[in-house]
Amino acid sequence: MLHNIVKLSQYRRKVFHLLPHTRCAARRQHSSSALETPEVDVALSTGRVLRISSGKYARFADGCAVVTIGDTAVMVTAVAKQKSQNASFLPLVVDYRQKSAAAGRIPTNFLRRELGPSEKEILSARLVDRSIRPLFPAEFRYDTQIVCNMLAIDSANPPDVQAINGASAALALSDIPWNGPIGAVRVGLVDNEAIINPTRKEMQLSSLDLVVTATRQNLVVMLEGRGNVVNENELRMAIKKGTKEAQLIINGIERLQKTFGKPKRPLEPLPAVDEEIQAAVRTMSEMRLREIFRDYSHDKFSRDQAVSSTRTDTIDKVWSSYPTADPSVISETFNKFVKSVFREMLLEENRRCDGRELDDLRKISCSVNLHKPLHGSALFQRGQTQVFCTVALDSPESALRLDPIASLDSGMKSKNFFLHYEFPPYATGETGKIGPIGRREIGHGALAEKGLVPIIPNDHPFTIRLTSEVLESNGSSSMATVCAGSMALMDAGVPVQEAAAGVAIGLITKYENNDTKHLQDYCILTDLLGIEDYMGDMDMKVAGTRRGMTAIQADIKVPGIPLKVVMEALQKSMEARFKILDLMDATIGATRTVRKDCWPVTDRLVIEAHQRAKLLGPGGTNLRRLYLETGVQLTPDDETSFRIFAPSEAAMHEAKEYLENLLKAEKIPDLEFGAIYTARIVELRDTGVMVTLYPSMPPTLLHNSQLDQRKIAHPSALGLQVGTEIQVKYFGRDPVSGYMRLSRKVLQGPATAMIRNLDRPATVTTNPTSTGAEDVKS
């Protein structure tokens, strides 16, 4: 028994002796695994550190990444279905949600929660979509959703660009087939020096706000930006620096992907098309298609009808020859062949389907001042693209108020210039529902607004709403909006710095095995047609003045293009812009100086401080009545100054007459400082008397301290009554309250005290009729 107890004791000592070592080993194992967390820091050239991490949040998603810069953190998830929906395109959806909670705020709407996507969220989602879409394989047609969720937003670092990097990292780490990664940076320009990922404070000093997305080998995937009339050389320098800086982010994501990325899921190849069917489609349609694209008399609709007729005829004949073939496969084969023929003809002949050379513009016509009631209007026609723009000038109170999160992101609380873009279905000869504005319209309107903001003076006294209605569309309606909007602003008398114009530049490329770095051939197209946009590889929209660029947007459909091609496209856009501005100058070359009867006017009203209550009326009823009767608005600048806005000169005259009558009873005579006036007492108070110096004057208080040289507790001690007239001295008005400063005391001599003769003894007499009071006599 004793032997067994000794053995048990030895065993326990051995176990407890080994236990600390086991714990230390566990700690060492835990610390070694912690060093291998899926996280990478990217040091940018500006010294700022971009951190990309994964594996902590949303682990059910196919891919998830959190991008942090400063105290701003963005989480992006990527999820794709496992089964294809037999779509003929990639069904990609990007959702960008800018949470108020991430900025420590509460939404100001009725429900106090995030509602539908705001304009800023839609534009940021489009930014992410256009950056990642070109790098998906053509065979990948699965429903895919990218969700960008703001975890934290500081006051220095905007989150939109980091959402692009987060989407790139999430897709790279996931099993979703994708030919990334990509990197995105924002480039600012301060004192002719490019700054990477500038803070909000730096952006206030920057003349450029450019987002550059690039992939490996310095290939540009997407451009989006605005500039305060930035010179083309500075723009080229910014694009080059942004592309170079994006390579640092790409390298960091590749390191993360190499260690922690999931194996990519296999792609289901597209159904193979029999070579005989392809040959039959080519034989039956090639000559007819080439004839259609060489017939320069075609317009948009006749060309589309000719191609559609050829499609129907080809499908019927091929299907009759190969009855076992799927008609949808024959149709898709024909569509691919049409695109191939169109591109080959452009590269071979350097002549476009409407007969233009590569650098030629379509026929342009302009007109302004179309309708008398409009403050400003313009019609811009470029080929079969027609845009009608109108300008409405209103009071500063009509400025567009931004929500708190948009204000935090942009640094502005309100906008006194905004552009609304409308694209009704009849613009393309179609029917459709006209309802809430779509994402495409928001994007095109925002681009055109960026192109016009730099030419608007900051101190303009009115709020400006520019409405663009696309009446016909065959390519580049947003750039036509810039042209028509510029002329409409000048027609409305807005003192723009100079005219602005916009043009769309296209690209046709030839390459093999997705190697867009080494293009076999390419051609750049000036002033894109709708069919050239659909069949081509790029849609670069550039707006600006003669001095430089104001807005740029490049949608690239191939997996990146070399910087050389981008620079050539920018040069073509500048040359085309100068030609367009020459044509616009022939219609209206400067801001209209002769006033229109319908133009609004402004003026300023200065009143005395005590007149403010009379002007406003009880609860502001006088101002509301003025607005309802004349349409004139009064806005207080300070206690004595009001800004008057009238919709017309006639309304201003009517409003001034109303105000004059309103304040006429309040007109006071000129009172001289230090003069003596007769005042009438209208009320007795414990603190003094209320007096008036003239009949229409509102009563003012003459305090007890200013009534007499002696200290009194109530005006009745001096025998003052209502209606008594007294002499007072005027000392102007109080600079704070505006009340008159009056005094009766200063008109009296020094107070005389009672004199006693100390040589005689005082005698006391009692009045037999008194109630006991005694008179003291010397």
Side-chain angles (χ1 to χ4, degrees):
M1 182 71 177
L2 181 62
H3 178 70
N4 291 338
I5 292 174
V6 170
K7 276 191 171 184
L8 180 60
S9 176
Q10 291 176 347
Y11 174 75
R12 286 177 176 174
R13 283 198 300 269
K14 184 177 180 181
V15 170
F16 285 120
H17 177 70
L18 292 176
L19 187 58
H21 296 278
T22 307
R23 288 175 178 171
C24 292
R27 288 196 193 99
R28 286 196 299 269
Q29 183 178 1
H30 180 269
S31 62
S32 63
S33 63
L35 294 175
E36 297 178 359
T37 56
E39 183 178 287
V40 64
D41 289 345
V42 179
L44 303 176
S45 63
T46 54
R48 296 187 178 95
V49 176
L50 184 75
R51 174 166 294 177
I52 305 173
S53 60
S54 183
K56 185 177 180 180
Y57 301 121
R59 283 171 288 189
F60 283 172
D62 293 333
C64 176
V66 177
V67 179
T68 306
I69 182 168
D71 290 329
T72 294
V74 183
M75 182 186 76
V76 185
T77 58
V79 177
K81 288 187 176 180
Q82 296 291 335
K83 293 183 178 181
S84 174
Q85 302 296 320
N86 297 322
S88 59
F89 60 94
L90 170 62
L92 173 66
V93 176
V94 177
D95 288 313
Y96 180 98
R97 299 311 304 270
Q98 197 158 264
K99 304 292 182 64
S100 297
R105 304 297 295 270
I106 298 176
T108 56
N109 57 65
F110 178 76
L111 297 176
R112 298 297 188 268
R113 65 180 301 164
E114 284 78 11
L115 301 179
S118 65
E119 182 173 323
K120 173 61 180 176
E121 290 172 320
I122 291 173
L123 295 175
S124 299
R126 285 172 57 87
L127 208 64
V128 177
D129 185 298
R130 290 171 21 232
S131 297
I132 63 176
R133 187 180 290 271
L135 282 88
F136 280 96
E139 300 84 4
F140 185 77
R141 297 179 180 179
Y142 300 81
D143 282 338
T144 306
Q145 185 178 30
I146 308 295
V147 179
C148 308
N149 189 7
M150 307 301 108
L151 299 181
I153 303 175
D154 62 17
S155 59
N157 300 282
D160 51 356
V161 173
Q162 307 318 322
I164 302 175
N165 294 319
S168 172
L171 287 169
L173 293 170
S174 71
D175 63 343
I176 300 173
W178 190 61
N179 297 323
I182 57 174
V185 294
R186 172 174 269 110
V187 185
L189 193 64
V190 180
D191 296 331
N192 298 325
E193 180 182 355
I195 301 177
I196 300 299
N197 285 351
T199 62
R200 288 188 177 91
K201 188 174 182 180
E202 291 171 336
M203 281 304 302
Q204 294 177 358
L205 305 174
S206 176
S207 60
L208 178 67
D209 180 3
L210 177 68
V211 178
V212 181
T213 303
T215 185
R216 306 179 189 92
Q217 299 180 318
N218 293 327
L219 298 177
V220 177
V221 176
M222 193 277 301
L223 295 173
E224 172 88 27
R226 59 178 177 84
N228 189 15
V229 193
V230 175
N231 182 274
E232 261 72 14
N233 293 329
E234 294 174 335
L235 177 61
R236 293 187 182 97
M237 179 263 293
I239 294 174
K240 289 178 181 178
K241 185 164 185 179
T243 304
K244 181 179 179 181
E245 201 76 15
Q247 305 304 308
L248 302 175
I249 301 174
I250 293 169
N251 294 336
I253 296 176
E254 285 181 336
R255 293 198 305 270
L256 203 62
Q257 180 186 15
K258 185 176 181 181
T259 308
F260 300 100
K262 301 177 183 177
K264 298 297 182 183
R265 67 181 72 167
L267 277 173
E268 294 183 7
L270 296 177
V273 181
D274 191 282
E275 293 184 359
E276 294 182 357
I277 294 179
Q278 295 183 28
V281 169
R282 173 180 291 272
T283 301
M284 296 180 183
S285 63
E286 182 173 11
M287 293 302 297
R288 294 178 62 180
L289 290 174
R290 288 184 177 271
E291 289 177 1
I292 293 171
F293 295 141
R294 285 197 185 103
D295 187 354
Y296 307 141
S297 63
H298 279 307
D299 61 7
K300 173 184 173 65
F301 292 105
S302 62
R303 186 183 300 110
D304 289 348
Q305 289 172 0
V307 172
S308 178
S309 175
T310 304
R311 175 189 291 106
T312 303
D313 190 38
T314 300
I315 293 174
D316 290 343
K317 291 181 178 178
V318 172
W319 195 22
S320 62
S321 301
Y322 301 92
T324 58
D326 187 352
S328 62
V329 173
I330 301 174
S331 177
E332 188 168 351
T333 303
F334 176 84
N335 293 338
K336 290 181 179 178
F337 183 66
V338 170
K339 187 174 182 178
S340 174
V341 170
F342 185 87
R343 294 164 64 91
E344 285 176 3
M345 292 181 63
L346 270 171
L347 293 171
E348 293 170 359
E349 303 176 5
N350 286 334
R351 183 170 290 274
R352 300 154 77 168
C353 61
D354 59 354
R356 286 183 292 155
E357 300 290 338
L358 300 181
D359 297 339
D360 289 347
L361 296 171
R362 288 174 286 176
K363 183 180 178 182
I364 294 176
S365 62
C366 315
S367 56
V368 296
N369 197 20
L370 301 173
H371 300 281
K372 187 176 180 180
L374 301 177
H375 295 162
S377 58
L379 183 70
F380 183 83
Q381 182 91 42
R382 178 161 50 193
Q384 288 183 298
T385 296
Q386 185 185 73
V387 173
F388 176 58
C389 279
T390 60
V391 171
L393 306 175
D394 212 326
S395 66
E397 284 63 44
S398 301
L400 181 64
R401 311 294 178 185
L402 301 180
D403 61 87
I405 300 302
S407 299
L408 177 67
D409 185 69
S410 63
M412 296 188 304
K413 293 184 178 180
S414 62
K415 293 165 58 177
N416 69 339
F417 170 71
F418 45 93
L419 186 150
H420 291 157
Y421 173 95
E422 300 175 6
F423 195 101
Y426 62 75
T428 53
E430 300 172 354
T431 60
K433 183 178 180 181
I434 299 178
I437 185 170
R439 295 193 169 207
R440 179 182 178 276
E441 292 174 295
I442 290 177
H444 284 207
L447 176 63
E449 182 179 307
K450 289 177 184 177
L452 292 172
V453 164
I455 68 174
I456 306 291
N458 295 326
D459 57 349
H460 196 265
F462 301 122
T463 296
I464 307 171
R465 182 195 186 216
L466 179 62
T467 304
S468 170
E469 300 178 56
V470 181
L471 307 182
E472 300 174 6
S473 178
N474 189 14
S476 189
S477 59
S478 60
M479 292 297 97
T481 296
V482 175
C483 300
S486 175
M487 293 189 295
L489 289 169
M490 290 191 285
D491 182 55
V494 179
V496 298
Q497 299 175 5
E498 53 185 325
V503 66
I505 304 296
L507 176 69
I508 302 292
T509 61
K510 185 177 181 181
Y511 56 91
E512 290 183 355
N513 301 324
N514 283 336
D515 184 13
T516 56
K517 176 68 175 177
H518 305 94
L519 298 177
Q520 298 176 350
D521 196 6
Y522 68 91
C523 64
I524 297 175
L525 312 175
T526 299
D527 187 13
L528 272 183
L529 283 174
I531 189 173
E532 292 170 341
D533 182 9
Y534 176 73
M535 302 284 191
D537 298 325
M538 181 183 74
D539 179 12
M540 176 187 284
K541 303 180 180 73
V542 185
T545 67
R546 294 187 188 275
R547 293 188 296 118
M549 181 275 299
T550 57
I552 183 172
Q553 183 183 94
D555 292 337
I556 298 170
K557 304 174 186 178
V558 295
I561 59 175
L563 281 170
K564 174 189 174 184
V565 179
V566 175
M567 301 309 159
E568 287 184 26
L570 288 176
Q571 180 65 28
K572 299 289 186 184
S573 71
M574 182 179 67
E575 296 171 358
R577 191 168 71 241
F578 289 170
K579 296 177 183 178
I580 298 169
L581 287 170
D582 290 338
L583 297 171
M584 291 168 55
D585 288 345
T587 301
I588 181 168
T591 298
R592 183 183 298 277
T593 56
V594 179
R595 286 191 53 83
K596 294 183 180 180
D597 294 337
C598 62
W599 280 358
V601 291
T602 60
D603 203 346
R604 188 169 296 275
L605 174 67
V606 179
I607 61 174
E608 298 290 340
H610 71 279
Q611 294 178 298
R612 180 183 175 90
K614 180 67 174 178
L615 173 66
L616 299 179
T621 54
N622 289 341
L623 298 190
R624 288 198 295 271
R625 180 181 177 186
L626 177 66
Y627 178 72
L628 292 174
E629 291 183 358
T630 65
V632 174
Q633 293 177 269
L634 257 69
T635 306
D637 285 336
D638 51 44
E639 291 296 321
T640 60
S641 178
F642 287 79
R643 186 172 62 252
I644 308 176
F645 170 84
S648 65
E649 193 75 42
M652 177 64 79
H653 291 316
E654 186 178 353
K656 286 186 175 180
E657 183 178 351
Y658 173 85
L659 295 172
E660 185 178 351
N661 294 331
L662 181 64
L663 300 175
K664 187 175 182 180
E666 289 293 314
K667 191 172 183 180
I668 63 175
D670 294 333
L671 301 179
E672 182 181 353
F673 187 92
I676 299 173
Y677 296 93
T678 300
R680 178 180 293 274
I681 300 176
V682 297
E683 183 183 353
L684 295 181
R685 294 186 178 181
D686 292 341
T687 56
V689 293
M690 301 296 291
V691 299
T692 58
L693 302 185
Y694 49 90
S696 61
M697 171 185 168
T700 187
L701 178 68
L702 181 58
H703 196 267
N704 286 337
S705 62
Q706 299 296 325
L707 282 173
D708 199 83
Q709 293 284 353
R710 293 168 293 179
K711 183 177 181 181
I712 63 172
H714 193 275
S716 61
L718 300 176
L720 300 177
Q721 298 178 357
V722 174
T724 303
E725 292 185 349
I726 58 176
Q727 299 292 313
V728 296
K729 195 169 185 177
Y730 175 69
F731 291 101
R733 291 184 177 274
D734 186 277
V736 177
S737 64
Y739 295 138
M740 287 185 178
R741 295 185 295 188
L742 304 174
S743 177
R744 178 175 178 264
K745 177 175 68 174
V746 297
L747 299 179
Q748 300 174 342
T752 57
M754 183 179 293
I755 302 174
R756 290 184 179 183
N757 189 347
L758 301 181
D759 294 336
R760 297 184 190 176
T763 59
V764 178
T765 21
T766 304
N767 187 352
T769 61
S770 69
T771 56
E774 296 179 345
D775 295 331
V776 180
K777 297 182 180 179
S778 299

